Amino acid sequence: MFGGEFGIAHHYWHEATRTVICVPPKCGSSAIKYALIMAEHPHLGALFCNEPSRVHGFAHLALVKRKSQIFEAGRRLFMVRNPVRRTLSAFLSKFVVWPDDDVLRGICALAEIPPDDMTFRLFVQTVAAMPDVQLDPHFCSQEHFFCLPQKDYELMSVDSEGGNAFAGLLNGIHPGSSATFREFEARAVEAKLGPVEHGERPAVRGRLADLPVKRLRYLRFNGADLPDSEFLFDGCEQTILARYAFDATLNAYALAA
């Protein structure tokens, strides 16, 4: 896992506390990058107000720059997440809400299916059949991102206590980061989908796991809410938990700590 143009992949540095934070994609990585960048470069905050995704373009500013930083750190955190929530979040993010053509082409080539015809069930079956080395980082197991033995990291779940522990971490890096980044994300979604009327979007009911992404995009971009529960039918959740069994163990361990 060592390498990359700017440093150690997916390991980030907080100078004030000499803390290394390893955060796999879809485990709160955007919010952590925002907090870390703002802690050292607050003048960049205006760039993220309406496009929080731009934070990824400045992630190199927060990356660990040399391998020795990880060993010298006073604290080493590893962020984990419920693998079912993470897998569904990755699918919705990369296929439906903010389609990423490069990511889509890669996973759809493995599945041998056109990008518009991918379904959540086919996506789950594809990642379940593939080793991490063949997958985009958003779909790799969380354990894939360890570059030191597990015992050398302090695990923290983004699911902890309704997100309170995660929010505390963000605010400890840069005051107000948690609430500010949530506001940025909500504003970006509203800009894409239009304002929410009457306080909520109508929820779509039915087995969404078998709808092609072109249909899911149509529903989402026309203001519909797509409940997580409507994707987890007929073994989808069980397939995810079997594929990412160690990730589920990591998350349970972090929640129990």
Side-chain angles (χ1 to χ4, degrees), residues 10 14 21 36 44 46 51 66 68 85 114 116 118 124 142 156 162-163 171 193 205 214 224 234 249:
H10 304 282
H14 184 217
I21 305 173
L36 290 167
L44 294 175
E51 293 184 64
R66 62 185 189 279
S68 61
R85 292 182 58 194
D116 282 350
M118 179 64 84
V124 168
Q142 293 162 65
M156 177 179 286
N171 293 331
L193 304 182
R205 299 298 176 187
K214 59 186 175 184
D234 298 334
T249 300

Side-chain angles (χ1 to χ4, degrees), residues 188-244:
V189 170
E190 184 170 302
K192 192 172 184 67
L193 304 182
V196 179
E197 296 183 7
H198 311 300
E200 62 181 18
R201 301 185 188 281
V204 176
R205 299 298 176 187
R207 300 199 168 194
L208 300 182
D210 296 310
L211 288 185
V213 292
K214 59 186 175 184
R215 178 63 177 167
L216 293 174
R217 289 179 199 138
Y218 173 84
L219 293 170
R220 182 75 167 122
F221 295 164
N222 281 277
D225 178 46
L226 306 176
D228 290 0
S229 59
E230 301 298 320
F231 286 90
L232 301 173
F233 280 102
D234 298 334
C236 280
E237 183 170 5
Q238 290 73 19
T239 301
I240 295 169
L241 289 173
R243 167 64 173 86
Y244 301 108

Side-chain angles (χ1 to χ4, degrees), residues 30 50 97 115 171 223:
S30 298
N50 295 314
V97 182
N171 293 331

